[in-house]
Amino acid sequence: MAAFEMAKGLGTLDWDIHVLTREQNPLADPSRPVCCSVASIPDSLTEDRPRLKEYLNTHLGDIQPDFIIYHSWSNWCRKELMEYAKSHHIPFILRSHGTGTNFSAFFRLRYPPFFGMKKWIGSFLNTRKSVLLTGKEAPLNRLVFLEPCGSLFKGFDYYYASKLKLPNACCIPNTFPALKRGTPFFREKYGLTGVSVFTCAASACTTKQQLLFIRQARRMDLQNIVFLFLVPQRNSYAEQMEKAIGNHPGFRILYNLPRHEVEAAISESDAMFLYSYQEQQPLCILEAMSCGIPWIAPDIGCISVLKGGIMLKRRTPGCLKKALTSMLAPDTRKSLGAAGFQQWQQRYAPHAVYAQWEALFRSAKKSENYSDT
């Protein structure tokens, strides 16, 4: 999704954008405008390296790209794209959205304590290897991070790249056009008038921790408030959310809403919230900031540099209740929303972010021309 949003934004600058994505992540929202060519690669192809290389050579040969931008550190075809870029003297830009070095991510039911610790330690080694491979193997490679912040246990990819003082690394945040407050209709359509609405727009999955939020919030005596979950697709985790909610009137789940209704839900909310334990720069929080809606989120990834919300130091019932109670005050919401909107205009609005991408492209092109001589 982040790659698609970026492609849509770059397309407004008259770049010819082509998105290559995995087959199981379709963009099937009919309300979303077509911004670029989208090609899907089935997993069966990504698991067959010779066939994948042949496919990429043909596909990219027809397009003849000026740049290759790869989102995230996932390895489903990164090495093949890097090899193609190197052999054809094309700048390769790896756009990091964080890595799996979060301690909590490796201590779940599928990883018993010993194996969880092994996985966690291994994630640092894998990240180190990936940073070195991308940052030093070819002079045309670029590493782009979301924010200039990171530590050994949070944002390790940026932390390690900065320690190495890699000359080809920079920071460019996420962006998208600001959500506009149109004629209100969402609350009335879905029976949410007369209550405070706190909204979470995120896929239903373990890393987003909606279940933990529901279980903690259910035990709180908060009146006249509805926690609204906007979920793109119903799955087994969403079914667990439904079971945890039961018939409680303070929680609602809406599935697969068209894009214009998602935007209306955000802009008509009193606040946005997120309870994830592994995130970098959540688009739903930036969307809230773009229309002056305050937010609540844990201290993860780059959340600590964002304004306009209440950052949770810990995901405990006490911290959550204190944040929710504070956010119910109109003056608090107004001041936080204004601070978030001001920061979004200065740093995260398209005009600010795409100027940085243009500068990066110009720099990469100069390096490409220099390497050809």
Side-chain angles (χ1 to χ4, degrees), residues 262-282:
V262 172
E263 294 184 4
I266 294 173
S267 64
E268 293 183 37
S269 294
D270 292 285
M272 293 290 292
F273 70 91
L274 191 69
Y275 222 45
S276 174
Y277 66 75
Q278 190 168 358
E279 206 79 36
Q280 282 298 307
Q281 195 175 71

Side-chain angles (χ1 to χ4, degrees), residues 1-13 32 35 71 95-97 144-147 171-179 259 263 280-291 306 341 343-358 361:
M1 183 58 69
F4 184 80
E5 292 296 336
M6 178 181 169
K8 184 170 66 173
L10 286 174
T12 63
L13 303 178
R32 186 183 296 276
C35 71
H71 274 247
R95 171 69 149 139
S96 171
H97 281 268
V144 179
F145 300 96
L146 292 172
E147 290 286 1
C171 296
I172 305 177
N174 281 320
T175 190
F176 48 86
L179 304 191
R259 178 60 188 173
E263 294 184 4
Q280 282 298 307
Q281 195 175 71
L283 289 178
C284 62
I285 299 299
L286 293 183
E287 286 175 323
M289 291 168 61
S290 77
C291 57
L306 298 180
F341 179 66
Q343 186 190 32
W344 182 86
Q345 284 184 310
Q346 294 172 348
R347 175 151 178 78
Y348 302 104
H351 69 86
V353 173
Y354 287 124
Q356 298 175 65
W357 277 108
E358 290 279 8
F361 293 154

Side-chain angles (χ1 to χ4, degrees), residues 148-223:
C149 62
S151 66
L152 185 60
F153 304 109
K154 187 175 76 169
F156 177 70
D157 51 358
Y158 173 79
Y159 171 81
Y160 187 66
S162 63
K163 286 293 183 183
L164 293 176
K165 295 182 170 59
L166 294 179
N168 292 347
C170 65
C171 296
I172 305 177
N174 281 320
T175 190
F176 48 86
L179 304 191
K180 295 180 174 60
R181 291 177 179 266
T183 303
F185 73 90
F186 186 86
R187 284 178 177 249
E188 184 175 355
K189 178 176 180 178
Y190 289 98
L192 297 169
T193 55
V195 296
S196 295
V197 178
F198 287 13
T199 300
C200 174
S203 56
C205 62
T206 304
T207 58
K208 305 298 183 183
Q209 291 285 277
Q210 292 102 327
L211 268 176
L212 178 62
F213 180 92
I214 292 168
R215 288 165 181 161
Q216 291 183 355
R218 276 203 63 156
R219 296 196 294 267
M220 300 175 190
D221 186 25
L222 297 174
Q223 302 297 319

Side-chain angles (χ1 to χ4, degrees), residues 100-146:
T101 53
N102 183 288
F103 188 81
S104 300
F106 298 106
F107 290 85
R108 302 293 160 188
L109 292 177
R110 56 180 169 172
Y111 296 133
F114 172 78
F115 295 101
M117 182 66 73
K118 183 179 178 182
K119 268 280 192 183
W120 181 60
I121 294 173
S123 68
F124 287 94
L125 300 177
N126 288 334
T127 300
R128 178 180 178 275
K129 180 180 177 181
S130 293
V131 170
L132 288 171
L133 178 67
T134 308
K136 290 191 171 182
E137 183 171 278
L140 293 181
N141 287 351
R142 297 290 191 279
L143 282 169
V144 179
F145 300 96
L146 292 172

